Amino acid sequence: MTNRNSSCKAAVHQHTETLSGTVERRSSQSLKQPRNLRILLWITSIAFSVPMKAQVKSELPSFDTEYRAYDNPYECYSAVTRIHYQPLSRDALSYRESAILSQIPQEVKEAAEKCIHRINVDRLSRLELIPMMRLFLTVDRDKDAADIVQRLINGQGKKIHDTSSKSPLSKEETLKERADIHYVVAITYLNAIPARLTAALSHMDSVAQVWTDNRVVLVLRYYDFFNKARSLDDKKSLQKTIHQISNIEKRMFPQERRQMAKVLFDVQQHATVPARLDSLRKSTSAYVALQTAQNAVYEVKEVLLGTKMESLQGEFRFPASATLPVQGKVNLVVVPGALPANSIFPMLRRLKNKYNAIEIVYADRTTGRFDTQLVEPSQEAEMRRQWVQEFIKLPSSVVIEKSDAWRLPEPDRRLIYGVTPNIKNYGNRIWLVDQNGKIVHYAAIDKKNELEFDRLIEALLKQR
Amino acid sequence: MTPHILMLGKEGMTRIANAINKMTSGDGSTEITFKSWCRSDIRWGRNTIGVAEDSRDNEIYIARRINGAFAFKTINQVSTSVLKDTINFIERLANEGEKKSIIPRMTLPPRLLEIPSTSIWSDKTALLPLKERAQIAESLISKFKDRNLLSSGFLEWRCLEGMSFQFGSDLQQFGSDSQSMESPSEYIQHTQAQCSMTAFKENGDGIGWAGLSSFDWSAIDCDSLAHRAIDRCIQSSDPGHLDPGEYTAILEPQAASRLIGYLVAGVDRFYAEQGRTTYSYAADRQLGLWRTRLGMKMLDERITIGHDPSDPMLGVLPKRGLKPVVWFENGRLVNLAYDQSYARQWLGEDVANLRRPSYRMEGGPTSIEEMIESTEHGVVINDLSSDLVVLNAQQLIMTGYTKHNMLEIKGGRISRAIRDMRFTDSPLLAFNLVEAIGPAVPIFAPAKDMLTPAIVPTIKVKRFALTTSTRSL
């Protein structure tokens, strides 16, 4: 902000110097003019000369300008930027391209129209393209927008890169710059104008030819096109998108596939909720088979799903001699490990209240201390039980492992706790276990997972 | 002993705190902290006393926690009407404020460690009559006048008392233990005195500074400080320039303390074990933690730095768990500081080893005269600027200026005065190149609302890097 203001001031200062030089030369020829007149001249000259100044990229406007009342290119550019970034008031444009096509107040359209006339297209940089594209779409001048894109890509005026950079771009850099422009255009068209999906896809294809090391991003973007084409029932675009996705996936390295799997895992989880829940209502095995099939494409298998959860270890059990997880019941097993579980207790209480048939199991370990005191393991285990069952008031079974620690030699003397079996196998997770002791689902200790557990428990309890 | 009739005193604070507690609505918890202080100072410039100040105030911080909402106010009046209005105001704020849900925490009464007794109160400092204070300043000024020197100086006497109370608790107590969760009230009172003066010539050629601070005014010998300032002023007349380079430097206690202060301030075990300080050694990838330099030799083997709270010259504000500690023993780092919480988590102990601002560096047998005689070419540095800039926190490389003109030594004698220069060096480097250590003496280290006494010797080091001359100064 400061830089922008200072560059503005510098530009004005430069103007002042030029103008004052002109005025002084005149004054030597004619009568000496009063000071007020000079200032008036100076202001008038600035007002008339601003369109030229606006073409210089470094002169960015103040963001404080009220864009509806602008009358010089600085404010004009400010209007563009504000329209792009700040959905401030009822008459400002939304950041989202799709919203641009909804009703736009007339005064905003007028402001955008004026801006378009005042900015030289051939001098636009790639960064400036994004707001300008939106601006053209705002005033329904799709043809002009396409024209700008073509002029930028062809490098008319050689302004596709930053004008402040004096060194010429190499061939490779130029290709990358053009690919970036294609990418901006493709995404803008994709989100703003459904009718131009074919054009957007052709721009995306140009990107794909250059972005050979960004396959994961490319595939994810093509998925957007795929969804859009499906919603529009555009069979040609749909076919083209599928073809591109399969082509790129074939070229993927294993590492990229794993990365892709991580990204898509959540998407699939959400996209296939009804199918998953149906399969779980049928049986745990059907659910696990569906999960495995979905993930097999990307070489990631949820090996723990469907396997039988081992009996939880622990010297201290409440109730005593209980085998946990409890057979014949749906179990929700919390193994905090190194992470605090305080935030999920309300969620666990709610689930228990809703589905009284489930068994909540809290598996922890001793650490030699409780709150502000050092305590013996048996005492600590009892305190942890009281904390969960009586203080937090969570109806649950508690199992506490006694963890052994060893000391670093003098003078360090730090205690190092070993990893206990429960934490090694199941630490830092919540586990959903079915009536037969098979693992159905697991998630991080996070209260955001409540809805998912809720659905799964409901489906699990309906199993025949 | 309460020095001034307007200071509240322990009984007064207790009485007011109980009264405040009765004025509250009774819900939630109340926290009250008192700070009652008085101070006098005299300052002079160009041999003329300019300002003599005598001020006092009572600060009462009152905070209320009601159902998770928190509000507080600080006042300095103790009349019943003001206290009532304040409590009403705070409770209104708390009731109207945002109610945060109290995170359930099952808590146990903490084990309270012992409070050590430290020497921080002196009747001599607190009760020195006003007239006597003025006479001291006048007698000091006359000494400078006798030598045709100008002087400026600052004398200050402070006394402070404080006490905190807590009534009620938002925490839910575990079990049926009858021990109260309310933290016990602790009364602290301390004094602090400082005396510093600068002598300079009319034409500005020479400058000499001397100063000392202590909780006890009787431990400050003002006359000898004045003589030291005068001697140094005469020695540092007509300062010349010295080329930048590495010189043998005799760091007088005040200068040495500026560097040692950084070593003592960083002795924190928690941060060292995160790899963030000069005491971090390396990451242990096997165990997934950072190793520290504990047990390693970091400084010259003649250097031992530690602190004993019972030392009458090193009195600090008493804290629970403060115990004698040695940070460096014969140059080896033997201890790092940690609190009770760290001790429980990482050491399985309940005893803290607290950090403190005060320290004693053990002295050596060599006098400053012997150091000068044994120096072929070097400098004597009286003081370093207090705002040193640390360039590298891991290696403690820092830069700053020397102060009050240096003295150049040639052939075992002081040859001339030198203008101040910029230095760029590290205590870790300098205190590994020690040639001799002198007897340790108290230094000038006053601080507001706390006590930071230190005892530091004169240290002679080799290859101290003076990097730039300061002609413009």
Side-chain angles (χ1 to χ4, degrees):
Chain A
M1 192 72 175
T2 316
N3 290 338
R4 288 171 176 175
N5 283 333
S6 60
S7 58
C8 248
K9 283 174 188 170
V12 173
H13 182 67
Q14 194 183 344
H15 251 296
T16 317
E17 283 182 348
T18 321
L19 287 166
S20 59
T22 317
V23 171
E24 277 174 18
R25 276 198 299 279
R26 281 180 187 170
S27 66
S28 61
Q29 291 165 7
S30 59
L31 289 172
K32 199 171 185 180
Q33 292 169 342
R35 195 180 170 190
N36 288 347
L37 188 59
R38 273 194 213 178
I39 294 169
L40 191 65
L41 268 173
W42 174 71
I43 292 168
T44 319
S45 308
I46 285 182
F48 283 114
S49 62
V50 278
M52 289 302 290
K53 299 301 289 182
Q55 296 166 11
V56 182
K57 183 182 168 288
S58 60
E59 291 163 6
L60 291 173
S62 161
F63 277 79
D64 303 327
T65 313
E66 175 53 50
Y67 67 85
R68 277 175 295 166
Y70 75 89
D71 53 14
N72 67 50
Y74 304 117
E75 293 170 358
C76 174
Y77 197 87
S78 172
V80 179
T81 318
R82 281 172 58 124
I83 286 167
H84 173 49
Y85 287 109
Q86 300 181 9
L88 289 177
S89 55
R90 62 175 180 78
D91 54 354
L93 286 180
S94 166
Y95 174 72
R96 294 179 61 79
E97 296 92 337
S98 52
I100 291 172
L101 295 180
S102 60
Q103 285 191 347
I104 300 166
Q106 193 55 38
E107 51 193 327
V108 176
K109 277 194 173 186
E110 284 171 7
E113 186 78 33
K114 284 181 184 174
C115 281
I116 291 165
H117 286 300
R118 284 168 186 264
I119 294 178
N120 188 337
V121 173
D122 290 336
R123 293 231 172 205
L124 284 179
S125 71
R126 177 166 52 83
L127 288 174
E128 291 162 337
L129 171 67
I130 301 169
M132 283 307 294
M133 281 287 292
R134 288 185 170 87
L135 212 62
F136 276 106
L137 296 174
T138 305
V139 292
D140 300 331
R141 288 174 59 174
D142 183 29
K143 188 173 172 298
D144 289 343
D147 185 43
I148 294 182
V149 171
Q150 206 53 48
R151 283 158 76 179
L152 280 168
I153 291 169
N154 294 339
Q156 277 186 15
K158 298 176 184 176
K159 292 295 182 292
I160 62 167
H161 58 85
D162 191 345
T163 48
S164 62
S165 163
K166 290 179 181 174
S167 59
L169 294 177
S170 66
K171 191 179 175 184
E172 193 181 344
E173 284 170 335
T174 312
L175 279 174
K176 278 185 181 174
E177 286 282 340
R178 286 184 183 179
D180 289 349
I181 293 168
H182 280 297
Y183 184 73
V184 170
V185 175
I187 300 305
T188 313
Y189 276 153
L190 172 71
N191 294 331
I193 307 177
R196 289 191 64 87
L197 191 63
T198 317
L201 258 176
S202 69
H203 284 295
M204 199 63 203
D205 291 346
S206 307
V207 177
Q209 287 171 12
V210 180
W211 285 13
T212 49
D213 52 350
N214 267 345
R215 293 188 190 93
V216 175
V217 178
L218 277 178
V219 170
L220 288 173
R221 277 306 182 194
Y222 270 113
Y223 271 115
D224 292 344
F225 280 95
F226 175 80
N227 290 329
K228 181 70 84 176
R230 197 166 57 173
S231 66
L232 293 174
D233 201 18
D234 183 347
K235 287 179 183 170
K236 195 178 172 187
S237 299
L238 200 62
Q239 201 174 3
K240 195 176 175 185
T241 315
I242 292 168
H243 179 68
Q244 277 288 14
I245 290 173
S246 66
N247 264 350
I248 298 167
E249 281 181 349
K250 274 179 198 168
R251 295 200 301 271
M252 273 186 170
F253 296 116
Q255 196 179 353
E256 285 175 320
R257 284 165 183 265
R258 279 193 287 275
Q259 196 183 347
M260 190 75 199
K262 279 179 190 171
V263 175
L264 287 184
F265 183 72
D266 283 341
V267 178
Q268 288 181 356
Q269 290 287 316
H270 285 97
T272 59
V273 165
R276 287 195 301 127
L277 292 178
D278 278 348
S279 65
L280 187 58
R281 281 185 205 108
K282 192 177 176 189
S283 73
T284 305
S285 308
Y287 171 80
V288 173
L290 181 69
Q291 289 283 79
T292 314
Q294 281 180 353
N295 294 322
V297 183
Y298 294 107
E299 299 166 9
V300 172
K301 289 181 182 176
E302 299 300 322
V303 285
L304 286 169
L305 296 188
T307 58
K308 196 157 186 176
M309 188 177 212
E310 290 174 23
S311 180
L312 292 168
Q313 306 290 311
E315 286 79 0
F316 309 102
R317 289 166 181 274
F318 309 97
S321 72
T323 307
L324 300 170
V326 180
Q327 286 288 320
K329 285 178 104 176
V330 174
N331 288 262
L332 201 56
V333 182
V334 184
V335 191
L339 303 173
N342 294 16
S343 62
I344 59 157
F345 285 122
M347 158 189 148
L348 295 174
R349 258 202 307 263
R350 280 193 293 272
L351 289 173
K352 178 69 181 175
N353 288 340
K354 193 169 177 184
Y355 307 107
N356 194 35
I358 65 167
E359 180 73 24
I360 290 179
V361 181
Y362 180 78
D364 207 347
R365 63 167 179 174
T366 59
T367 55
R369 63 186 190 281
F370 189 86
D371 195 52
T372 56
Q373 280 191 10
L374 298 172
V375 283
E376 290 299 314
S378 57
Q379 199 184 353
E380 186 188 345
E382 171 59 20
M383 284 175 169
R384 289 190 185 278
R385 180 200 69 77
Q386 283 191 30
W387 180 55
V388 175
Q389 293 183 342
E390 294 172 14
F391 194 83
I392 302 288
K393 294 186 174 64
L394 178 70
S396 59
S397 303
V398 178
V399 56
I400 311 280
E401 285 177 291
K402 185 180 172 185
S403 59
D404 296 323
W406 58 279
R407 215 176 257 283
L408 286 171
E410 289 279 351
D412 197 311
R413 300 191 300 117
R414 265 179 285 178
L415 283 172
I416 308 295
Y417 284 91
V419 180
T420 58
N422 289 348
I423 289 174
K424 185 182 175 187
N425 295 333
Y426 306 112
N428 307 324
R429 293 274 190 280
I430 313 173
W431 303 81
L432 181 63
V433 181
D434 75 354
Q435 293 89 332
N436 298 320
K438 284 183 182 175
I439 296 169
V440 175
H441 182 72
Y442 65 83
I445 294 180
D446 193 339
K447 56 188 174 187
K448 289 176 187 168
N449 297 319
E450 181 171 356
L451 179 63
E452 187 155 24
F453 275 112
D454 193 334
R455 283 172 181 165
L456 291 171
I457 290 169
E458 189 182 8
L460 204 52
L461 289 172
K462 284 179 183 171
Q463 262 188 15
R464 290 176 183 177
Chain B
M1 188 171 194
T2 304
H4 201 282
I5 196 165
L6 288 179
M7 287 185 76
L8 295 173
K10 186 177 180 179
E11 288 161 8
M13 290 178 186
T14 312
R15 202 173 58 246
I16 295 167
N18 288 328
I20 291 172
N21 189 36
K22 280 179 188 169
M23 289 174 195
T24 59
S25 60
D27 300 335
S29 65
T30 310
E31 191 185 328
I32 306 162
T33 305
F34 290 94
K35 194 171 93 175
S36 181
W37 58 266
C38 67
R39 66 180 285 274
S40 305
D41 68 49
I42 296 175
R43 60 190 83 192
W44 73 90
R46 298 185 73 85
N47 290 345
T48 307
I49 293 176
V51 179
E53 191 184 355
D54 192 14
S55 54
R56 65 189 67 82
D57 200 3
N58 301 314
E59 294 169 21
I60 307 170
Y61 166 86
I62 306 170
R64 294 271 292 133
R65 283 178 199 277
I66 305 170
N67 298 328
F70 174 76
F72 73 94
K73 189 159 175 57
T74 303
I75 54 172
N76 68 348
Q77 295 185 38
V78 291
S79 67
T80 312
S81 60
V82 171
L83 290 175
K84 269 185 182 171
D85 289 349
T86 309
I87 292 292
N88 289 338
F89 177 73
I90 293 170
E91 290 190 342
R92 202 176 71 237
L93 274 186
N95 287 324
E96 289 173 0
E98 185 189 354
K99 301 279 188 302
K100 289 179 182 170
S101 59
I102 303 168
I103 297 167
R105 183 181 157 208
M106 190 168 68
T107 185
L108 293 164
R111 180 190 161 192
L112 295 177
L113 303 174
E114 286 182 7
I115 303 178
S117 65
T118 56
S119 308
I120 53 174
W121 178 264
S122 158
D123 285 349
K124 180 76 176 169
T125 309
L127 304 172
L128 192 69
L130 200 61
K131 194 174 175 184
E132 203 172 318
R133 295 173 186 179
Q135 285 170 352
I136 292 167
E138 282 173 357
S139 76
L140 289 172
I141 291 170
S142 66
K143 289 186 191 343
F144 295 103
K145 279 182 179 171
D146 293 346
R147 302 294 292 267
N148 287 328
L149 294 172
L150 292 176
S151 71
S152 60
F154 183 63
L155 308 176
E156 189 192 44
W157 302 266
R158 269 174 191 274
C159 44
L160 183 145
E161 58 179 5
M163 197 170 183
S164 59
F165 298 84
Q166 190 184 343
F167 300 98
S169 173
D170 268 8
L171 298 177
Q172 297 186 36
Q173 191 173 346
F174 170 72
S176 57
D177 199 325
S178 59
Q179 191 179 340
S180 171
M181 281 302 297
E182 294 172 8
S183 52
S185 305
E186 290 158 15
Y187 176 73
I188 291 174
Q189 62 170 8
H190 77 84
T191 54
Q192 188 174 50
Q194 62 166 301
C195 169
S196 65
M197 61 202 83
T198 309
F200 50 94
K201 289 186 173 178
E202 184 78 45
N203 59 5
D205 265 355
I207 185 165
W209 176 90
L212 194 58
S213 61
S214 170
F215 75 95
D216 186 5
W217 177 250
S218 57
I220 299 175
D221 184 354
C222 296
D223 292 344
S224 72
L225 288 176
H227 286 302
R228 206 194 302 167
I230 290 167
D231 291 347
R232 193 59 201 253
C233 177
I234 293 165
Q235 276 182 327
S236 68
S237 300
D238 302 325
H241 294 290
L242 187 68
D243 289 336
E246 290 183 347
Y247 294 92
T248 297
I250 296 171
L251 301 169
E252 290 192 70
Q254 198 66 36
S257 73
R258 303 284 186 201
L259 299 178
I260 297 167
Y262 280 87
L263 289 175
V264 175
V267 285
D268 191 292
R269 188 161 178 162
F270 179 75
Y271 291 115
E273 286 171 359
Q274 291 185 338
R276 290 159 64 176
T277 70
T278 190
Y279 300 113
S280 311
Y281 180 53
D284 187 333
R285 291 177 194 278
Q286 191 70 26
L287 294 173
L289 45 79
W290 270 79
R291 298 293 189 131
T292 64
R293 292 185 187 272
L294 270 174
M296 294 184 185
K297 184 178 172 298
M298 293 185 73
L299 307 173
D300 187 273
E301 61 192 14
R302 283 165 286 185
I303 293 178
T304 296
I305 301 172
H307 178 256
D308 184 353
S310 62
D311 189 332
M313 296 171 79
L314 294 175
V316 290
L317 296 181
K319 280 184 186 174
R320 288 190 181 276
L322 201 65
K323 58 180 184 179
V325 67
V326 177
W327 304 121
F328 291 93
E329 190 170 25
N330 300 327
R332 202 172 294 278
L333 179 69
V334 290
N335 268 307
L336 286 171
Y338 50 86
D339 61 12
Q340 211 176 355
S341 166
Y342 175 93
R344 275 194 293 264
Q345 184 176 353
W346 286 102
L347 304 177
E349 297 169 354
D350 218 358
V351 183
N353 185 15
L354 296 175
R355 201 167 59 161
R356 70 280 321 255
S358 176
Y359 62 91
R360 173 193 284 271
M361 180 174 167
E362 298 298 332
T366 319
S367 68
I368 190 166
E369 289 78 15
E370 289 170 338
M371 289 182 191
I372 292 170
E373 279 173 16
S374 62
T375 305
E376 188 56 35
H377 188 205
V379 291
V380 179
I381 300 174
N382 180 240
D383 196 358
L384 302 176
S385 54
S386 56
D387 51 344
L388 303 181
V389 177
V390 177
L391 304 173
N392 183 322
Q394 295 282 333
Q395 298 170 18
L396 271 186
I397 295 172
M398 52 185 70
T399 184
Y401 292 97
T402 64
K403 277 169 79 176
H404 313 131
N405 289 350
M406 293 183 291
L407 303 176
E408 188 180 16
I409 306 166
K410 268 189 180 171
R413 295 181 63 184
I414 289 173
S415 61
R416 58 169 181 150
I418 299 169
R419 281 198 187 284
D420 288 321
M421 296 179 74
R422 174 179 281 278
F423 78 94
T424 306
D425 214 318
S426 162
L428 295 175
L429 297 172
F431 296 147
N432 266 303
L433 298 167
V434 173
E435 278 198 355
I437 297 180
V441 295
I443 58 154
F444 177 76
K448 193 186 174 190
D449 293 352
M450 61 190 294
L451 293 164
T452 57
I455 296 175
V456 185
T458 304
I459 308 173
K460 181 179 172 185
V461 298
K462 289 183 283 189
R463 291 164 52 194
F464 191 73
L466 298 168
T467 45
T468 321
S469 60
T470 55
R471 287 163 195 274
S472 58
L473 297 178

